[in-house]
Amino acid sequence: MRTKTIVAIDGPAGAGKSTIAKRLAARIGADYIDTGAMYRAVALKLLRTGTDYKDPEALQTMLDAMDVDFSEGHTILDGEDVSGLIRTPEISALASPSSGVPAIRYKLTALQQAMGKRKSIVMDGRDIGTVVFPDADFKFFLTASADERARRRTEEMRAKGDPADFETIRADIIQRDYQDSHREFRPLRKADGAVEIDSTDMSIESVVDTMMAFIEARDR
Ligand code: DC
């Protein structure tokens, strides 16, 4: 990579953002940052401290005493690696509504912007191209049909030995899509100038290759 580069990848749950962002980061020698994991870490802290995200004072006290980082594939909450604790249905269910709270978004946005100051990054989330890095060098909006996203997630969970139910996962994906794209504050939407890629019938490698083609075209 010629210069410090910022790649923003946004899209709905289960579109393959994290797998693709991770591979793209490895190909261009950038750090990969999963911002969804950071919102999940906040949800974990809400649960652990019994904080109601609808109580502004209690929430601010919690946020002021909280540090969230994402480094080398690990999610760090107040110095503790919580990567293994944030992929539960309970955390997913709480991360979606709580991530709509402005105080939480302000705090994480500032942390994410600071990460991009240091080096090249590929960052995935819901508002990276719209809010966190509106001037990113490359912006992608990655989608896939709800059925395909549910199918992928079901397979992923079954591979881990979880007897996942397709219909339940599909309903959960549709519910989260709705919440993420209809929330009042900074909803999920395609950023101006973002390249939309529908991965429904594409392999992971072909999505990464498509993104690489855009990046290489600039560097040529
Ligand atoms: O991508 P994920 O499923 O791990 O994200 C968890 C939740 O956090 C999801 O409901 C959307 C929200 N999120 C967000 O609002 N903004 C981001 N940049 C990333 C995730």
Side-chain angles (χ1 to χ4, degrees):
M1 194 60 22
R2 239 178 13 189
T3 49
K4 187 166 84 65
T5 299
I6 297 201
V7 181
I9 303 179
D10 291 303
K17 294 188 301 292
S18 52
T19 308
I20 284 157
K22 218 178 286 171
R23 293 203 191 180
L24 184 69
R27 294 252 302 253
I28 67 172
D31 277 3
Y32 161 61
I33 295 161
D34 175 355
T35 64
M38 297 173 76
Y39 283 94
R40 287 171 179 271
V42 173
L44 177 63
K45 178 119 184 176
L46 286 167
L47 278 180
R48 280 181 168 176
T49 57
T51 305
D52 177 1
Y53 65 82
K54 291 183 182 142
D55 175 344
E57 271 183 34
L59 176 62
Q60 200 54 55
T61 304
M62 185 197 95
L63 292 176
D64 288 344
M66 179 193 74
D67 185 41
V68 179
D69 197 9
F70 189 88
S71 174
E72 294 177 11
H74 296 272
T75 312
I76 314 294
L77 172 65
D78 300 328
E80 176 192 351
D81 186 346
V82 295
S83 312
L85 304 175
I86 56 170
R87 303 280 161 200
T88 66
E90 193 186 16
I91 295 287
S92 298
L94 182 58
S96 187
S98 59
S99 63
V101 178
I104 294 177
R105 300 204 72 82
Y106 288 134
K107 169 102 188 189
L108 293 194
T109 298
L111 291 171
Q112 290 153 7
Q113 287 170 335
M115 291 168 165
K117 289 223 166 72
R118 298 193 289 266
K119 52 177 304 197
S120 291
I121 54 168
V122 176
M123 187 174 272
D124 84 19
R126 304 292 193 288
D127 62 341
I128 312 309
T130 50
V131 176
V132 181
F133 291 113
D135 298 324
D137 300 278
F138 300 96
K139 297 184 197 181
F140 297 103
F141 194 75
L142 189 64
T143 62
S145 70
D147 274 14
E148 176 60 15
R149 288 184 284 135
R151 193 192 61 72
R152 291 177 193 167
R153 187 127 302 174
T154 308
E155 246 178 38
E156 197 180 287
M157 290 175 74
R158 287 188 182 156
K160 284 187 206 150
D162 186 323
D165 174 55
F166 174 81
E167 287 303 333
T168 309
I169 291 176
R170 187 171 173 278
D172 174 61
I173 280 184
I174 290 172
Q175 154 90 355
R176 286 214 288 145
D177 280 357
Y178 187 85
Q179 274 179 4
D180 293 344
S181 55
H182 285 78
R183 68 177 172 225
E184 220 169 282
F185 190 66
R186 300 181 177 176
L188 167 68
R189 65 172 183 83
K190 184 179 156 191
D192 290 340
V195 174
E196 184 162 347
I197 300 175
D198 181 342
S199 73
T200 306
D201 297 313
M202 290 173 82
S203 68
I204 289 165
E205 271 321 308
S206 64
V207 175
V208 176
D209 286 345
T210 303
M211 293 179 172
M212 276 306 290
F214 279 95
I215 295 172
E216 283 166 356
R218 183 205 66 174
D219 280 355
R220 228 174 267 136

